[in-house]
Amino acid sequence: MEIFGIEVDLSNLINIGLKIGLLILAFIIFIPIGKKIIERTINRAGSNQKISESRVKTLEKLLVNLFSYVMIFVFIVMLFAIFAIPIGPLLAGAGVVGLAIGFGAQGLVSDVVTGFFLLLERQVEVDDYITAGGYDGIVEELGLRTTKIRSFNGTLNFIPNREIIGVANHSRGNMRALVDIGISYDENIDEAISLLEKVCAEFQQDERFKDGPNPIGVQGLGSSDVVLRVVGQTENGEQFGCQRDMLKRIKEAFDEANIEIPFPHQVNIQKG
Amino acid sequence: MEIFGIEVDLSNLINIGLKIGLLILAFIIFIPIGKKIIERTINRAGSNQKISESRVKTLEKLLVNLFSYVMIFVFIVMLFAIFAIPIGPLLAGAGVVGLAIGFGAQGLVSDVVTGFFLLLERQVEVDDYITAGGYDGIVEELGLRTTKIRSFNGTLNFIPNREIIGVANHSRGNMRALVDIGISYDENIDEAISLLEKVCAEFQQDERFKDGPNPIGVQGLGSSDVVLRVVGQTENGEQFGCQRDMLKRIKEAFDEANIEIPFPHQVNIQKG
Amino acid sequence: MEIFGIEVDLSNLINIGLKIGLLILAFIIFIPIGKKIIERTINRAGSNQKISESRVKTLEKLLVNLFSYVMIFVFIVMLFAIFAIPIGPLLAGAGVVGLAIGFGAQGLVSDVVTGFFLLLERQVEVDDYITAGGYDGIVEELGLRTTKIRSFNGTLNFIPNREIIGVANHSRGNMRALVDIGISYDENIDEAISLLEKVCAEFQQDERFKDGPNPIGVQGLGSSDVVLRVVGQTENGEQFGCQRDMLKRIKEAFDEANIEIPFPHQVNIQKG
Amino acid sequence: MEIFGIEVDLSNLINIGLKIGLLILAFIIFIPIGKKIIERTINRAGSNQKISESRVKTLEKLLVNLFSYVMIFVFIVMLFAIFAIPIGPLLAGAGVVGLAIGFGAQGLVSDVVTGFFLLLERQVEVDDYITAGGYDGIVEELGLRTTKIRSFNGTLNFIPNREIIGVANHSRGNMRALVDIGISYDENIDEAISLLEKVCAEFQQDERFKDGPNPIGVQGLGSSDVVLRVVGQTENGEQFGCQRDMLKRIKEAFDEANIEIPFPHQVNIQKG
Amino acid sequence: MEIFGIEVDLSNLINIGLKIGLLILAFIIFIPIGKKIIERTINRAGSNQKISESRVKTLEKLLVNLFSYVMIFVFIVMLFAIFAIPIGPLLAGAGVVGLAIGFGAQGLVSDVVTGFFLLLERQVEVDDYITAGGYDGIVEELGLRTTKIRSFNGTLNFIPNREIIGVANHSRGNMRALVDIGISYDENIDEAISLLEKVCAEFQQDERFKDGPNPIGVQGLGSSDVVLRVVGQTENGEQFGCQRDMLKRIKEAFDEANIEIPFPHQVNIQKG
Amino acid sequence: MEIFGIEVDLSNLINIGLKIGLLILAFIIFIPIGKKIIERTINRAGSNQKISESRVKTLEKLLVNLFSYVMIFVFIVMLFAIFAIPIGPLLAGAGVVGLAIGFGAQGLVSDVVTGFFLLLERQVEVDDYITAGGYDGIVEELGLRTTKIRSFNGTLNFIPNREIIGVANHSRGNMRALVDIGISYDENIDEAISLLEKVCAEFQQDERFKDGPNPIGVQGLGSSDVVLRVVGQTENGEQFGCQRDMLKRIKEAFDEANIEIPFPHQVNIQKG
Amino acid sequence: MEIFGIEVDLSNLINIGLKIGLLILAFIIFIPIGKKIIERTINRAGSNQKISESRVKTLEKLLVNLFSYVMIFVFIVMLFAIFAIPIGPLLAGAGVVGLAIGFGAQGLVSDVVTGFFLLLERQVEVDDYITAGGYDGIVEELGLRTTKIRSFNGTLNFIPNREIIGVANHSRGNMRALVDIGISYDENIDEAISLLEKVCAEFQQDERFKDGPNPIGVQGLGSSDVVLRVVGQTENGEQFGCQRDMLKRIKEAFDEANIEIPFPHQVNIQKG
């Protein structure tokens, strides 16, 4: 049978249809089994060898992800085999189309190359709090092509790995708590600092603080106030809570000691 | 017959004209039937297997879209067949024109590659509220080449998929409601926070809240006010309504308790 | 005859001159006829099949545009034929010049590819109000290479299609009318909202409104005012007029009810 | 004779010298004649066929420009012919140098391609007032490679055509005149608008106005004033003068009617 | 003699050394002579044919610059000849290194191509005051690769020509002098304009002014003043001096006529 | 056995499995030993030859890093050998895939090339305080592909070396301490400078200062104050502490001497 | 012996080890000697021929730098020779790897090309104060690949030469000193200028001034002051000191003559 110059063979069509059916069936059965096996193996290995839980989760998510891509690739190759299309020359023959595909697909390759090193160099793990590619939040899943980050406001961000140019990982090691507090130009600096030292002494008992906090001196002479700075090291993730507690405590201590935290000042000269 | 060096054969022309007519006719009949079939199959499959409605819509829109592109491609190939132009060497032969086309068309390939992964990795579904490529709104249609987003102000945005570098999907999971409220430097912080806790207790009964809301402490010492922060988790899509209700309730509670929400302050020193 | 190493044949020159003359004549006669035929065919087809007028205009402009480019191409090919220069190898032979041309002309190919999809996917029609490529206005003409947009201030903008990265089409569906209004911290919020509801009830009769308008609550606590928001859906193109009318009506209603729309506030503390 | 491994032939040198001399002489004589012929032909054709003067100027400038580039090209080719260097293979042979030249020269090709379409699509004519490539002013000359724009402050700007990504042409059709005027919150809006209508009625007699001007209502509620907008269509080029006249007339009308154009307002609360 | 697998021939080494010595000697003698000849020829030609001095300077600087590059190229080619390295295949053979060099050197080619057109189209001459590539000042030297600009603050800027994307040349034709002056809302606009006309009449006698200056009306209604604009055309280079003189004269005239140039205004409403 | 057209040989599979097992085992044993050896060798060499500790750390981190990459490469090559896939032609054969990989992987090559020169030119050492690629902090590890920087706030940043375009190394040589202090317009400048000189004399005793500090005069006339500048050179890392101490000391000295550090000034003219 | 399919020959290994040892030894001895020779030769040549010291330093640093790169290249070539790997075909054979390397290494080539011209055109010398590539400071070393700039605050910046797009060299010729001073609107402009002329006359005696300083008139009418400008030319490097001295002297002169330097002004209108 010929339709507009293209020869069509019916029995061949049925044959191909059957093969495709079998192929799809095989995959529908095989894929969920494969995923289960990966998950169990990783979990057992993790609990046996005392690997940190977040590392286990990272590996599990990654392997499942990798497994999916390999399955898609195998599926496409088999499909081509069923249609008896030689895939090698197709990929190697660079013409106009090849050029366009080559250029268009370079983003994909960049994604995978970057993703590979993100994982290899352990720059990011699931549950880390990171800033990358203009997004900011908790890592939910690490893939070879895409990284999923859950923002503080609840949004789920999908970032192609190639966009992750530099990673700022906020979950590695102690974090700094910093409070800048302005006092009036009329106050005695030494008195204010000794008061800050007393407040800091209280916080140094706090388990969340790994180092300090300590007042480090006059940070600047503002237009209306003398700015004093207090700096400390806290456990990872506790820095914001610590800063909030310090702000409250310092404000109250200054109120008690009658040290003024000044409003903006302006000198008015009356004329006319 | 020869016109300016190009040989023209009349009977051949008529023959070609007839073939083109038949081809167009075939397509005019075939395309709407094809689309109907796709829509029905998807809808029946969806209702049988309890797939979420938005996923069904996404698949339907996508398959119709894909079907159109395949039909256009088939049409062009058949047109070339009618004119007996071998299409293979044409595409493979890279010369000046090929180079230009290859470069010029890479955007198209990038669109399709990105679109394919947007769908495969389920980054976006029809009716999701997303931010992508500088646009912000509800997804109306997901195509292999273009994504349509309806902005909040009613504008319909068409975005080539390659421009969708990272996707911020605001329709996945609970969202955060956040209220920052400033109180006067003269107020007692503990009192204000206990008042906020009372207000929050009311909202914790609210079904829309999944977690909280709770006051988390002193966020900062502003130039004229002490800023307190209240944070909670709400059902997806309810965060803005919740914030509006909290703002109103907190303002009224502070009014009742005579806690001042201060205007900007300035200290004036008279001179001359 | 030889001039600086290049052989020149007089009789040949005359022959070529004649041919060029004939060619130009043929085109001068043929082109306006062709354009007329296109316009009439489209118009008749349009009125027969009840296609919207803006779609007819778009198609007409496009086909005339396409016709012009095809004519220019045919003209150049015939010119080459007269001079007996084989155009195929010229285009295929990629050397230094080819490389430069290939790179330099990729912009042109990008224009046409993008233009083709702008039309195919009906992203834009003549007379739509769009924002694209940094320009903003009414579409006057859609070409394969360039889109003409008439700005609100009267400027006519020519945009190469490749610069149209994303299209924001403001002429598809209802538009939102939004009014933010600030009231004094001393006013009762519930009273102000019930007043807004009364005003909105009047507008809900207005034919231009498709949905609402309705006050949706406290949008924010500003430094000097409590901001209330009113939102509605209007017919396409009526949103700005509606907003202006709502602003006027709300202002007058607040004046009547003695609800203050406050000026910026500042607390002054006298010192010295 | 041999100098450092390069064979030199004296009689040949003299021969070449003579040829170059003749070549230069020929060009010195020929070029100004060619330019004169172009100018006269264009001017005569222009006055015969009633083409607008600015179009004649554009064509004249362009053809002289094109003629110069063709002459330079012919000159270089002849020079190569004198030295008996085969120019074809030179250009085709792409090696390291070819690659560098191909990349480096793509800007030139882009310039010419863009310039060609700027002219073909009549985006710009000499004496148009345009904004393009970050510059803004009156077009003085349109070339295949460069466009010259005279800024309002007298500067002459040279812009390579490839930098002209989008053209905003301010000399095509009527332009809008727009005046925003703020009135006090205490004024009656209807009174102010009826006054604006009276002022606008005067201007509607003005020949420069093609449509309007008319007050269109309350544009916004500013922090200290209610903003009213007046819009009209003027003849091209008259928009700025019209706006200046309207500003003056409206200000005077408001003064006469005792409608206040308010200064910034602030509410001061004295404390302490 | 063999050192780590590389065969070394002593007599050959001495031979090569001698040749290099001779070559360097020849260049040390030849280059300054060549430069002198160029300078004298240009100067004599310039004074004979009444070419403007700045054009002569431009040509001289350029030819010396070109001469230097040609000499460097000849030197390198001869060096290769001495070592008997065939330079042709070296340049043509594109491998990894060739690719890298080709890409890396494209900037150089862009520089020369742009430089060539900067000169050919006389966009810039030595001593012009231009803005280009983010720099701003007087052109000191124009080269094929680099342009030197002396900034107003004395800095000497070296700009690769490829960075000169558009040139704003401030030394071609008359320049505009513009003064915006604010008067109080209480002043009579007509009086102020007639006073400005008197002041302008004085300046119209000034030789530096080619056209105007003239008051053109109310430019805007500022938050505290009515802004009037005065515009004129001055000789090139005199615009800044003229503006300074006009500012002084207008300020004094307004003082004499008791027209107020107002300070920023604010309306204060006392509360509480 | 054949599965969907791909021939599978069981005994071969087992054979391959065994080989892979052995290979993994060999690597698990070999890699930690290799790392230990590197660390010890470097440390011993460092202590013998009195190389600075930070240089030793840099070399150690680098060599371990390099060793890991070499091991990964060897592992992959061996894996290919086990499967008997010839790796050479695979890498050399550039088709569509090759093109995409070549483009996608260029980032990797850029990383290594840049990393190599960062190390070779000793631009950065472990423990240096640097600003690079938009990040700012202490270098924790230098790799061929990635540099790890610990920010002041505790965040660990991973930067691909190609992003490190310019390095600002703050740990090389003395640093400047700079204090700008504003005095009232009513104060005597000479008095204030002589007071600053007295304060500076105290600090010149300070061991942390390598040069100065000295007052260098009037830096500017601010809108409300006369700004004086004090500049000195301190030991590396001590600049911030020194600045804080100077700020405190100068503020106290000015208080004692009754020299006013003024608040912002404004002249108010009462009207109406 | 065979390890995982790779044949290993022990005696060969020892042989290679020995050769490498010898090679390293040769380089350890040879490199410091080579550097010494270069330094001495340059220094002697410099002192003999009265070349400026900074030029001598530049050349010395450059040649040592160049010598190092040549040595590294020779070392790598010899290493390849020892392993008997033919380096030519390796570099020429462009496959996937070649493509990646070619693209990745183009930055390196750009560095060297730019560096070469920076030196050849003497754009920068050691000890010049320049602004380039976003950095600003004194040049410490000029290399073929990298330029080292010492910032004013002590930081040492390493800039790859390709990033040095334009160089602003502040060490070539006299620099401008500029002071803008605001006087009250009530002051007589002529008086203030004649006072400035007196102050400038004092500075004209100052050796550091090459031209001026002179008051050039009214630069602008500010919102609260009339701005006068004083401009002069100073010796290179003295401009900042001169400006500071002028600021101090002018402020004192205005104080003596009772000319007011005004604070910001505001007109207050009391309402309500």
Side-chain angles (χ1 to χ4, degrees), chain A:
Chain A
M1 206 169 71
E2 208 195 287
I3 301 170
F4 292 107
I6 296 166
E7 209 174 329
V8 176
D9 176 353
L10 259 188
S11 73
N12 197 4
L13 272 182
I14 294 165
N15 191 0
I16 284 174
L18 277 174
K19 278 187 182 171
I20 293 177
L22 269 171
L23 184 61
I24 292 172
L25 199 77
F27 271 86
I28 286 174
I29 296 167
F30 184 57
I31 287 176
I33 299 176
K35 285 190 183 175
K36 271 269 137 57
I37 293 172
I38 290 171
E39 282 168 23
R40 286 211 190 142
T41 317
I42 293 278
N43 277 322
R44 203 167 309 155
S47 55
N48 283 354
Q49 302 187 7
K50 293 174 187 169
I51 300 168
S52 83
E53 198 183 350
S54 89
R55 184 96 198 129
V56 170
K57 252 205 268 176
T58 308
L59 273 171
E60 187 190 312
K61 288 262 181 194
L62 178 69
L63 283 178
V64 168
N65 185 301
L66 194 63
F67 176 73
S68 315
Y69 285 122
V70 169
M71 283 299 106
I72 289 165
F73 183 78
V74 169
F75 186 87
I76 289 170
V77 168
M78 284 188 168
L79 222 65
F80 274 92
I82 286 170
F83 286 102
I85 302 169
I87 205 167
L90 201 81
L91 289 180
V96 175
V97 174
L99 202 68
I101 292 177
F103 278 112
Q106 59 171 293
L108 191 59
V109 178
S110 285
D111 281 344
V112 174
V113 170
T114 311
F116 177 71
F117 282 104
L118 279 181
L119 289 158
L120 184 78
E121 302 179 346
R122 297 199 188 179
Q123 297 185 9
V124 181
E125 307 252 330
V126 168
D127 282 339
D128 279 1
Y129 166 33
I130 69 166
T131 303
Y135 296 93
D136 186 294
I138 304 296
V139 178
E140 284 224 335
E141 196 179 319
L142 260 172
L144 264 188
R145 211 196 73 84
T146 323
T147 295
K148 294 186 200 166
I149 295 179
R150 176 77 64 180
S151 289
F152 178 42
N153 74 352
T155 299
L156 186 59
N157 305 292
F158 298 80
I159 311 167
N161 288 333
R162 105 200 74 145
E163 298 301 322
I164 301 181
I165 287 165
V167 173
N169 194 326
H170 311 297
S171 301
R172 300 277 166 92
N174 296 333
M175 296 296 284
R176 190 201 50 191
L178 181 150
V179 169
D180 274 348
I181 189 105
I183 59 166
S184 168
Y185 266 91
D186 299 332
E187 302 291 345
N188 185 303
I189 297 173
D190 289 321
E191 265 177 43
I193 286 181
S194 74
L195 183 62
L196 284 175
E197 270 163 0
K198 266 184 233 159
V199 175
C200 287
E202 296 169 25
F203 280 104
Q204 282 160 12
Q205 315 306 335
D206 192 331
E207 280 216 327
R208 296 174 304 174
F209 279 93
K210 294 298 165 197
D211 181 26
N214 291 301
I216 61 170
V218 177
Q219 189 60 22
L221 298 175
S223 69
S224 304
D225 53 359
V226 175
V227 182
L228 305 179
R229 174 164 285 184
V230 178
V231 165
Q233 294 282 333
T234 74
E235 226 168 85
N236 195 288
E238 302 291 344
Q239 65 271 28
F240 301 118
C242 288
Q243 271 171 203
R244 275 193 293 263
D245 294 351
M246 279 160 73
L247 276 173
K248 178 158 178 285
R249 190 63 202 90
I250 290 172
K251 202 260 170 187
E252 289 170 351
F254 275 29
D255 279 1
E256 282 162 34
N258 267 320
I259 295 178
E260 190 192 345
I261 302 172
F263 295 115
H265 279 60
Q266 189 168 44
V267 176
N268 288 314
I269 301 162
Q270 214 60 32
K271 209 162 109 177

Side-chain angles (χ1 to χ4, degrees), chain E residues 48-60:
Chain E
N48 283 356
Q49 301 187 7
K50 291 174 189 167
I51 301 167
S52 83
E53 200 182 349
S54 90
R55 183 97 198 128
V56 170
K57 253 204 268 176
T58 308
L59 274 171
E60 187 191 312

Side-chain angles (χ1 to χ4, degrees), chain E residues 213-230:
Chain E
N214 290 302
I216 61 170
V218 177
Q219 188 61 21
L221 298 176
S223 71
S224 304
D225 52 1
V226 175
V227 181
L228 306 179
R229 175 165 284 185
V230 179

